[in-house]
Amino acid sequence: MNLDHINLVVKDVNRAVHLFESHLGFNLIVNRKSKMAVLENDHNFALVIWGQELNNKENTPEYPENFHIGFYQKDEQAVWEIYEKLKTEADLQFESEPKKIRDTFGFYFFFENLMMEISVDPFKDTIR
């Protein structure tokens, strides 16, 4: 069984689409009036970006503490390259520059209240 999609709630659907398309390897499939969008990556994983107004709430979406999504990279150079590109985007918040985290190398950043991790795959040398 595969995890095939996830639904993330954001305030600004168009900014989220831009981030995922420009920096995180997704392609837009559907954008419904900037209130909901569906993107897909090379692994046929669907990412649904859901505008908070569809929840009938005006509050900023909140995620549980330590909830995050992650993107594994092949090596430290790839992590640095993504970090440098992401730094050009307005309104992203970075915890730090890339460094050793847990058993790997990477960094965390926030888009709105959503934490994301870019890191070297800690399991790359493990037989899966």
Side-chain angles (χ1 to χ4, degrees), residues 78-96:
V79 170
W80 276 107
E81 288 171 7
I82 292 173
Y83 175 75
E84 292 299 330
K85 284 178 60 180
L86 286 172
K87 283 193 336 184
T88 66
E89 292 292 329
D91 301 326
L92 295 181
Q93 299 169 11
F94 296 84
E95 283 197 342
S96 70

PDB file of all heavy atoms in Angstrom, residues 78-96:
ATOM      1  N   ALA A  78      23.195  19.167  -2.832  1.00  0.00           N
ATOM      2  CA  ALA A  78      21.809  19.372  -3.263  1.00  0.00           C
ATOM      3  C   ALA A  78      21.015  20.136  -2.202  1.00  0.00           C
ATOM      4  O   ALA A  78      20.194  21.001  -2.529  1.00  0.00           O
ATOM      5  CB  ALA A  78      21.149  18.030  -3.569  1.00  0.00           C
ATOM      6  N   VAL A  79      21.265  19.847  -0.938  1.00  0.00           N
ATOM      7  CA  VAL A  79      20.598  20.570   0.156  1.00  0.00           C
ATOM      8  C   VAL A  79      20.974  22.049   0.098  1.00  0.00           C
ATOM      9  O   VAL A  79      20.107  22.927   0.180  1.00  0.00           O
ATOM     10  CB  VAL A  79      20.965  19.960   1.529  1.00  0.00           C
ATOM     11  CG1 VAL A  79      20.479  20.852   2.668  1.00  0.00           C
ATOM     12  CG2 VAL A  79      20.393  18.560   1.660  1.00  0.00           C
ATOM     13  N   TRP A  80      22.266  22.340  -0.066  1.00  0.00           N
ATOM     14  CA  TRP A  80      22.717  23.734  -0.142  1.00  0.00           C
ATOM     15  C   TRP A  80      22.101  24.458  -1.341  1.00  0.00           C
ATOM     16  O   TRP A  80      21.718  25.626  -1.244  1.00  0.00           O
ATOM     17  CB  TRP A  80      24.237  23.814  -0.204  1.00  0.00           C
ATOM     18  CG  TRP A  80      24.886  23.754   1.138  1.00  0.00           C
ATOM     19  CD1 TRP A  80      25.579  22.708   1.673  1.00  0.00           C
ATOM     20  CD2 TRP A  80      24.898  24.786   2.134  1.00  0.00           C
ATOM     21  NE1 TRP A  80      26.014  23.026   2.935  1.00  0.00           N
ATOM     22  CE2 TRP A  80      25.613  24.293   3.246  1.00  0.00           C
ATOM     23  CE3 TRP A  80      24.372  26.066   2.195  1.00  0.00           C
ATOM     24  CZ2 TRP A  80      25.817  25.047   4.398  1.00  0.00           C
ATOM     25  CZ3 TRP A  80      24.577  26.816   3.347  1.00  0.00           C
ATOM     26  CH2 TRP A  80      25.286  26.310   4.426  1.00  0.00           C
ATOM     27  N   GLU A  81      22.011  23.775  -2.477  1.00  0.00           N
ATOM     28  CA  GLU A  81      21.446  24.400  -3.677  1.00  0.00           C
ATOM     29  C   GLU A  81      19.990  24.796  -3.456  1.00  0.00           C
ATOM     30  O   GLU A  81      19.565  25.897  -3.834  1.00  0.00           O
ATOM     31  CB  GLU A  81      21.581  23.463  -4.874  1.00  0.00           C
ATOM     32  CG  GLU A  81      23.005  23.344  -5.368  1.00  0.00           C
ATOM     33  CD  GLU A  81      23.196  22.258  -6.416  1.00  0.00           C
ATOM     34  OE1 GLU A  81      22.188  21.661  -6.880  1.00  0.00           O
ATOM     35  OE2 GLU A  81      24.360  22.000  -6.776  1.00  0.00           O
ATOM     36  N   ILE A  82      19.211  23.920  -2.857  1.00  0.00           N
ATOM     37  CA  ILE A  82      17.808  24.241  -2.591  1.00  0.00           C
ATOM     38  C   ILE A  82      17.714  25.370  -1.573  1.00  0.00           C
ATOM     39  O   ILE A  82      16.895  26.287  -1.724  1.00  0.00           O
ATOM     40  CB  ILE A  82      17.035  22.994  -2.127  1.00  0.00           C
ATOM     41  CG1 ILE A  82      16.930  22.003  -3.284  1.00  0.00           C
ATOM     42  CG2 ILE A  82      15.648  23.367  -1.612  1.00  0.00           C
ATOM     43  CD1 ILE A  82      16.351  20.670  -2.907  1.00  0.00           C
ATOM     44  N   TYR A  83      18.539  25.327  -0.552  1.00  0.00           N
ATOM     45  CA  TYR A  83      18.546  26.391   0.456  1.00  0.00           C
ATOM     46  C   TYR A  83      18.800  27.751  -0.194  1.00  0.00           C
ATOM     47  O   TYR A  83      18.072  28.723   0.077  1.00  0.00           O
ATOM     48  CB  TYR A  83      19.616  26.092   1.509  1.00  0.00           C
ATOM     49  CG  TYR A  83      19.792  27.177   2.532  1.00  0.00           C
ATOM     50  CD1 TYR A  83      18.856  27.367   3.545  1.00  0.00           C
ATOM     51  CD2 TYR A  83      20.899  28.018   2.484  1.00  0.00           C
ATOM     52  CE1 TYR A  83      19.017  28.377   4.490  1.00  0.00           C
ATOM     53  CE2 TYR A  83      21.070  29.024   3.426  1.00  0.00           C
ATOM     54  CZ  TYR A  83      20.132  29.204   4.423  1.00  0.00           C
ATOM     55  OH  TYR A  83      20.286  30.197   5.344  1.00  0.00           O
ATOM     56  N   GLU A  84      19.795  27.829  -1.054  1.00  0.00           N
ATOM     57  CA  GLU A  84      20.129  29.099  -1.705  1.00  0.00           C
ATOM     58  C   GLU A  84      18.978  29.589  -2.578  1.00  0.00           C
ATOM     59  O   GLU A  84      18.690  30.792  -2.624  1.00  0.00           O
ATOM     60  CB  GLU A  84      21.419  28.969  -2.528  1.00  0.00           C
ATOM     61  CG  GLU A  84      22.661  28.765  -1.684  1.00  0.00           C
ATOM     62  CD  GLU A  84      22.953  29.918  -0.718  1.00  0.00           C
ATOM     63  OE1 GLU A  84      22.612  31.078  -1.027  1.00  0.00           O
ATOM     64  OE2 GLU A  84      23.529  29.656   0.355  1.00  0.00           O
ATOM     65  N   LYS A  85      18.305  28.696  -3.281  1.00  0.00           N
ATOM     66  CA  LYS A  85      17.157  29.088  -4.105  1.00  0.00           C
ATOM     67  C   LYS A  85      15.992  29.543  -3.240  1.00  0.00           C
ATOM     68  O   LYS A  85      15.331  30.538  -3.542  1.00  0.00           O
ATOM     69  CB  LYS A  85      16.721  27.922  -5.002  1.00  0.00           C
ATOM     70  CG  LYS A  85      17.622  27.685  -6.191  1.00  0.00           C
ATOM     71  CD  LYS A  85      17.185  26.493  -7.016  1.00  0.00           C
ATOM     72  CE  LYS A  85      15.784  26.646  -7.559  1.00  0.00           C
ATOM     73  NZ  LYS A  85      15.355  25.492  -8.369  1.00  0.00           N
ATOM     74  N   LEU A  86      15.720  28.817  -2.159  1.00  0.00           N
ATOM     75  CA  LEU A  86      14.589  29.163  -1.300  1.00  0.00           C
ATOM     76  C   LEU A  86      14.795  30.508  -0.603  1.00  0.00           C
ATOM     77  O   LEU A  86      13.824  31.219  -0.331  1.00  0.00           O
ATOM     78  CB  LEU A  86      14.348  28.067  -0.260  1.00  0.00           C
ATOM     79  CG  LEU A  86      13.717  26.781  -0.779  1.00  0.00           C
ATOM     80  CD1 LEU A  86      13.724  25.717   0.310  1.00  0.00           C
ATOM     81  CD2 LEU A  86      12.295  27.028  -1.279  1.00  0.00           C
ATOM     82  N   LYS A  87      16.039  30.868  -0.320  1.00  0.00           N
ATOM     83  CA  LYS A  87      16.320  32.141   0.346  1.00  0.00           C
ATOM     84  C   LYS A  87      15.847  33.330  -0.481  1.00  0.00           C
ATOM     85  O   LYS A  87      15.627  34.408   0.056  1.00  0.00           O
ATOM     86  CB  LYS A  87      17.814  32.292   0.649  1.00  0.00           C
ATOM     87  CG  LYS A  87      18.270  31.497   1.835  1.00  0.00           C
ATOM     88  CD  LYS A  87      19.655  31.863   2.334  1.00  0.00           C
ATOM     89  CE  LYS A  87      20.586  32.489   1.357  1.00  0.00           C
ATOM     90  NZ  LYS A  87      21.936  32.733   1.873  1.00  0.00           N
ATOM     91  N   THR A  88      15.668  33.142  -1.785  1.00  0.00           N
ATOM     92  CA  THR A  88      15.218  34.241  -2.645  1.00  0.00           C
ATOM     93  C   THR A  88      13.710  34.460  -2.554  1.00  0.00           C
ATOM     94  O   THR A  88      13.210  35.470  -3.061  1.00  0.00           O
ATOM     95  CB  THR A  88      15.592  33.983  -4.122  1.00  0.00           C
ATOM     96  OG1 THR A  88      14.856  32.854  -4.615  1.00  0.00           O
ATOM     97  CG2 THR A  88      17.087  33.735  -4.276  1.00  0.00           C
ATOM     98  N   GLU A  89      12.995  33.540  -1.949  1.00  0.00           N
ATOM     99  CA  GLU A  89      11.541  33.653  -1.828  1.00  0.00           C
ATOM    100  C   GLU A  89      11.170  34.512  -0.627  1.00  0.00           C
ATOM    101  O   GLU A  89      11.691  34.314   0.469  1.00  0.00           O
ATOM    102  CB  GLU A  89      10.898  32.267  -1.673  1.00  0.00           C
ATOM    103  CG  GLU A  89      10.987  31.403  -2.902  1.00  0.00           C
ATOM    104  CD  GLU A  89      10.147  31.917  -4.054  1.00  0.00           C
ATOM    105  OE1 GLU A  89       9.092  32.543  -3.824  1.00  0.00           O
ATOM    106  OE2 GLU A  89      10.563  31.688  -5.207  1.00  0.00           O
ATOM    107  N   ALA A  90      10.262  35.425  -0.844  1.00  0.00           N
ATOM    108  CA  ALA A  90       9.795  36.283   0.254  1.00  0.00           C
ATOM    109  C   ALA A  90       8.922  35.474   1.210  1.00  0.00           C
ATOM    110  O   ALA A  90       8.274  34.511   0.813  1.00  0.00           O
ATOM    111  CB  ALA A  90       8.998  37.450  -0.315  1.00  0.00           C
ATOM    112  N   ASP A  91       8.951  35.865   2.439  1.00  0.00           N
ATOM    113  CA  ASP A  91       8.040  35.333   3.460  1.00  0.00           C
ATOM    114  C   ASP A  91       8.302  33.900   3.906  1.00  0.00           C
ATOM    115  O   ASP A  91       7.470  33.333   4.602  1.00  0.00           O
ATOM    116  CB  ASP A  91       6.578  35.467   3.027  1.00  0.00           C
ATOM    117  CG  ASP A  91       6.194  36.911   2.774  1.00  0.00           C
ATOM    118  OD1 ASP A  91       6.724  37.791   3.488  1.00  0.00           O
ATOM    119  OD2 ASP A  91       5.380  37.164   1.878  1.00  0.00           O
ATOM    120  N   LEU A  92       9.401  33.291   3.512  1.00  0.00           N
ATOM    121  CA  LEU A  92       9.755  31.997   4.082  1.00  0.00           C
ATOM    122  C   LEU A  92      10.596  32.268   5.319  1.00  0.00           C
ATOM    123  O   LEU A  92      11.415  33.184   5.338  1.00  0.00           O
ATOM    124  CB  LEU A  92      10.550  31.136   3.097  1.00  0.00           C
ATOM    125  CG  LEU A  92       9.825  30.693   1.835  1.00  0.00           C
ATOM    126  CD1 LEU A  92      10.761  29.829   0.989  1.00  0.00           C
ATOM    127  CD2 LEU A  92       8.540  29.963   2.140  1.00  0.00           C
ATOM    128  N   GLN A  93      10.395  31.464   6.345  1.00  0.00           N
ATOM    129  CA  GLN A  93      11.162  31.628   7.579  1.00  0.00           C
ATOM    130  C   GLN A  93      12.049  30.399   7.763  1.00  0.00           C
ATOM    131  O   GLN A  93      11.555  29.272   7.699  1.00  0.00           O
ATOM    132  CB  GLN A  93      10.216  31.781   8.764  1.00  0.00           C
ATOM    133  CG  GLN A  93       9.318  32.988   8.654  1.00  0.00           C
ATOM    134  CD  GLN A  93       8.216  32.961   9.696  1.00  0.00           C
ATOM    135  OE1 GLN A  93       8.221  32.164  10.623  1.00  0.00           O
ATOM    136  NE2 GLN A  93       7.258  33.844   9.533  1.00  0.00           N
ATOM    137  N   PHE A  94      13.317  30.629   8.009  1.00  0.00           N
ATOM    138  CA  PHE A  94      14.286  29.548   8.165  1.00  0.00           C
ATOM    139  C   PHE A  94      14.707  29.438   9.619  1.00  0.00           C
ATOM    140  O   PHE A  94      14.957  30.447  10.262  1.00  0.00           O
ATOM    141  CB  PHE A  94      15.517  29.804   7.294  1.00  0.00           C
ATOM    142  CG  PHE A  94      15.214  29.799   5.831  1.00  0.00           C
ATOM    143  CD1 PHE A  94      14.730  30.936   5.203  1.00  0.00           C
ATOM    144  CD2 PHE A  94      15.375  28.646   5.093  1.00  0.00           C
ATOM    145  CE1 PHE A  94      14.424  30.932   3.853  1.00  0.00           C
ATOM    146  CE2 PHE A  94      15.074  28.626   3.738  1.00  0.00           C
ATOM    147  CZ  PHE A  94      14.596  29.773   3.114  1.00  0.00           C
ATOM    148  N   GLU A  95      14.787  28.186  10.112  1.00  0.00           N
ATOM    149  CA  GLU A  95      15.291  27.989  11.472  1.00  0.00           C
ATOM    150  C   GLU A  95      16.784  28.239  11.529  1.00  0.00           C
ATOM    151  O   GLU A  95      17.293  28.750  12.511  1.00  0.00           O
ATOM    152  CB  GLU A  95      14.973  26.571  11.952  1.00  0.00           C
ATOM    153  CG  GLU A  95      13.542  26.381  12.364  1.00  0.00           C
ATOM    154  CD  GLU A  95      13.345  25.130  13.195  1.00  0.00           C
ATOM    155  OE1 GLU A  95      14.212  24.231  13.182  1.00  0.00           O
ATOM    156  OE2 GLU A  95      12.305  25.049  13.848  1.00  0.00           O
ATOM    157  N   SER A  96      17.496  27.829  10.483  1.00  0.00           N
ATOM    158  CA  SER A  96      18.940  28.028  10.397  1.00  0.00           C
ATOM    159  C   SER A  96      19.372  27.677   8.983  1.00  0.00           C
ATOM    160  O   SER A  96      18.573  27.192   8.179  1.00  0.00           O
ATOM    161  CB  SER A  96      19.677  27.123  11.397  1.00  0.00           C
ATOM    162  OG  SER A  96      19.589  25.777  10.983  1.00  0.00           O
TER     163      SER A  96
END
